[in-house]
């Protein structure tokens, strides 16, 4: 039997998901030997978009896309990926829900460009030059750029078969996902590849796992307000931890490093809008309503990784 | 295939009838980049441009975020 063909495209992401795959090291060697990597751009292989476009439709067994869809080039290549790949996976939270980079949707493109290219303390741009989709240099060299659009998760552009959470996905989890993929033990199309437990359920700080009950938080704290206890639940102590509503495929990495979970693992099974669910989960853990007003910067907290996939989606602009 | 044939294959008309070679994407890096090379009538390189085709917007969307949350947020500018 010939080896399954794999393609990987990084759209509007950071490359961290790519590195997480490479981090599999020994597991990757086993996995890589069983796979024929036909495209991995821009990060790992020296492949061009034209190479991918030239491949026959449906000729690639598995396609991974990391990063969100943020410009016309991403949009075009993810459509090509969908055509060429039998199974398409949204890999990492940017591709699955929009990711941190999806926070651009809080603003218009004009506001974003104005801040980055004109109105920062360290910018010197008296002519107010902004990136253009087409520019002709010296009257003869025509250059083009993709056009910017609101950030979208992959499934708002093409049909997605599987979702993997994490920013980036935790390497042990990727190993398991690849093994499941290679052995054909996958959940129904459209599902998340996850062990199905919340961060709380795998957290050493969880009092419930120690046979105690969870107490309400009586204050709201920021991590700069002082260190948490060594082994108590962060949320009980007032640090707003999103562990209750986040998939715990990372093995509760942040709480074990004394910082609250911010939700990169993606929503626990059955939850469509992570931010809404997180707001209700946190509110229900607070001792009294006044504490809600003390939550600093709720949008960046509850929608840190999922704004483009939320019901709020593109509707709010600041 | 000889070098001339390869160049013929990958070139296209640039602005004002000029030959143009596009290398897209630049690979083995994060932060999508594109190189455009313009050739003169003899097929020699006349000019070349590097473009960073991606724009993110952290400068704007970070505003208002509690300072202690910034390091774990900006690490996603580049994860390589
Ligand atoms: S999910 Fe995180 S690690 Fe992956 S591309 Fe997006 S920002 Fe980078
Ligand atoms: S809320 Fe956070 S600290 Fe508390 S048990 Fe859940 S994951 Fe652990
Ligand atoms: S604890 Fe939460 S924020 Fe941290 S890696 Fe796990 S899912 Fe992501």
């Amino acid at each position: 039997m010939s080896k399954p063909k794999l393609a990987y495209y990084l759209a509007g992401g950071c490359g961290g998901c790519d590195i997480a795959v490479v981090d599999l090291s020994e597991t990757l060697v086993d996995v890589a030997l069983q796979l024929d990597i036909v495209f991995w751009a821009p990060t790992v292989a020296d492949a061009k978009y034209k190479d991918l476009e030239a491949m026959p439709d449906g000729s690639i067994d598995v396609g991974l896309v990391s990063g969100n869809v943020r410009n016309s080039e991403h949009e075009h290549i993810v459509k090509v990926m969908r055509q060429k790949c039998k199974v398409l996976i949204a890999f990492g939270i940017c591709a699955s829900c929009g990711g941190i980079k999806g926070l651009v949707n809080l603003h218009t493109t004009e506001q974003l460009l104005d801040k980055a290219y004109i109105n920062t303390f360290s910018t010197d741009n008296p002519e107010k030059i902004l990136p253009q989709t087409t520019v002709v240099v010296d009257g003869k060299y025509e250059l083009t750029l993709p056009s910017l659009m609101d950030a979208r998760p992959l499934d708002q552009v093409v049909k997605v078969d599987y979702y993997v959470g994490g920013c980036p996905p935790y390497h042990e989890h990727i190993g398991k996902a690849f093994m499941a993929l290679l052995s054909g033990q996958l959940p129904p199309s459209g599902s998340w590849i996850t062990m199905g437990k919340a961060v709380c359920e795998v957290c050493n700080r969880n009092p419930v796992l120690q046979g105690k009950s969870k107490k309400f938080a009586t204050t709201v704290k920021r991590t700069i307000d002082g260190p948490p206890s060594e082994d108590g639940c962060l949320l009980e102590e007032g640090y707003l931890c999103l562990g209750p509503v986040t998939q715990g495929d990372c093995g509760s990495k942040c709480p074990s490093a004394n910082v609250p979970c911010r939700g990169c693992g993606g929503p626990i099974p059955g939850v469509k809008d992570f931010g809404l669910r997180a707001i209700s989960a946190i509110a229900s853990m607070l001792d009294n309503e006044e504490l809600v007003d003390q939550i600093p910067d709720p949008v960046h907290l509850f929608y840190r990784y999922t704004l483009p996939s939320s019901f709020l989606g593109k509707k709010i602009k600041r | 295939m000889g070098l001339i044939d390869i160049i013929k294959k990958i070139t296209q008309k640039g602005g004002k009838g000029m030959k143009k070679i596009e290398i897209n994407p630049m690979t083995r890096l994060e932060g999508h980049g594109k190189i455009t090379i313009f050739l003169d009538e003899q097929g020699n390189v006349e000019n070349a441009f590097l473009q960073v085709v991606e724009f993110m917007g952290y400068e704007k969307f970070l505003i208002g975020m509690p300072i202690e949350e910034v390091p774990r947020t900006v690490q996603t500018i580049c994860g390589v």
Side-chain angles (χ1 to χ4, degrees), chain A:
Chain A
M1 204 184 87
S2 63
K3 294 182 194 176
K5 291 191 169 62
L6 177 99
Y8 189 116
Y9 170 56
L10 163 64
C14 76
C17 285
D18 304 54
I19 296 298
V21 177
V22 177
D23 264 356
L24 276 172
S25 51
E26 279 134 59
T27 325
L28 183 69
V29 175
D30 291 345
V31 170
L33 288 174
Q34 297 182 50
L35 288 170
D36 180 9
I37 298 170
V38 294
F39 178 83
W40 191 334
T43 47
V44 174
D46 187 23
K48 304 296 167 205
Y49 297 141
K50 280 180 182 167
D51 302 332
L52 181 69
E53 283 161 352
M55 292 175 196
D57 288 359
S59 64
I60 303 168
D61 297 285
V62 182
L64 273 69
V65 173
S66 63
N68 60 30
V69 178
R70 169 87 169 94
N71 66 37
S72 52
E73 182 176 277
H74 301 150
E75 185 178 57
H76 170 64
I77 303 295
V78 303
K79 285 180 179 165
V80 176
M81 283 287 283
R82 179 67 272 184
Q83 264 171 13
K84 310 295 171 190
C85 302
K86 290 184 192 129
V87 171
L88 193 68
I89 303 180
F91 189 69
I93 201 69
C94 281
S96 299
C97 295
I100 286 178
K101 288 158 190 288
L103 290 170
V104 292
N105 290 8
L106 289 168
H107 311 282
T108 62
T109 299
E110 292 70 34
Q111 289 169 335
L112 293 162
L113 288 172
D114 180 77
K115 191 69 193 167
Y117 287 93
I118 300 169
N119 282 314
T120 46
F121 182 69
S122 55
T123 304
D124 182 20
N125 182 8
E127 291 160 58
K128 300 193 187 338
I129 297 168
L130 293 176
Q132 306 294 321
T133 49
T134 306
V135 66
V136 181
V137 181
D138 295 342
K140 52 179 175 174
Y141 307 116
E142 189 184 290
L143 302 170
T144 57
L145 281 177
S147 52
L148 287 169
M149 35 184 80
D150 272 334
R152 282 173 292 171
L154 189 61
D155 66 4
Q156 286 178 19
V157 185
V158 292
K159 180 178 164 282
V160 169
D161 296 302
Y162 297 106
Y163 301 83
V164 178
C167 179
Y170 186 54
H171 58 85
E172 277 175 20
H173 179 54
I174 302 174
K176 286 184 204 151
F178 270 94
M179 289 307 176
L181 203 64
L182 286 170
S183 57
Q185 293 165 331
L186 281 169
S189 175
S191 340
W192 287 75
I193 300 178
T194 172
M195 63 173 179
K197 284 187 177 161
V199 176
C200 283
E201 291 175 81
V202 293
C203 174
N204 291 335
R205 291 175 172 275
N206 191 345
V208 178
L209 299 180
Q210 295 152 18
K212 296 178 243 168
S213 59
K214 234 181 199 180
K215 295 196 233 20
F216 290 114
T218 53
T219 53
V220 167
K221 280 192 203 155
R222 292 167 58 173
T223 47
I224 46 167
D225 292 334
S229 69
E230 244 167 61
D231 51 8
C233 169
L234 299 172
L235 192 49
E236 272 188 355
E237 293 172 26
Y239 301 98
L240 303 176
C241 178
L242 305 186
V245 291
T246 305
Q247 286 178 158
D249 299 300
C250 65
S252 187
K253 279 290 159 292
C254 297
S256 58
N258 297 345
V259 284
C261 172
R262 286 293 172 252
C264 84
I268 48 171
V271 172
K272 276 256 174 303
D273 191 310
F274 178 89
L276 277 183
R277 184 61 184 269
I279 291 169
S280 68
I282 296 297
S284 71
M285 304 282 210
L286 298 178
D287 185 59
N288 60 73
E289 270 179 38
E290 281 82 75
L291 291 175
V292 173
D293 297 333
Q294 293 176 28
I295 298 175
D297 194 21
V299 169
H300 285 129
L301 172 66
F302 296 117
Y303 290 94
R304 171 93 42 104
Y305 292 97
T306 59
L307 183 66
S309 67
S310 70
F311 295 126
L312 280 180
K314 294 164 267 181
K315 291 190 187 70
I316 42 166
K317 296 277 180 215
R318 287 196 159 174

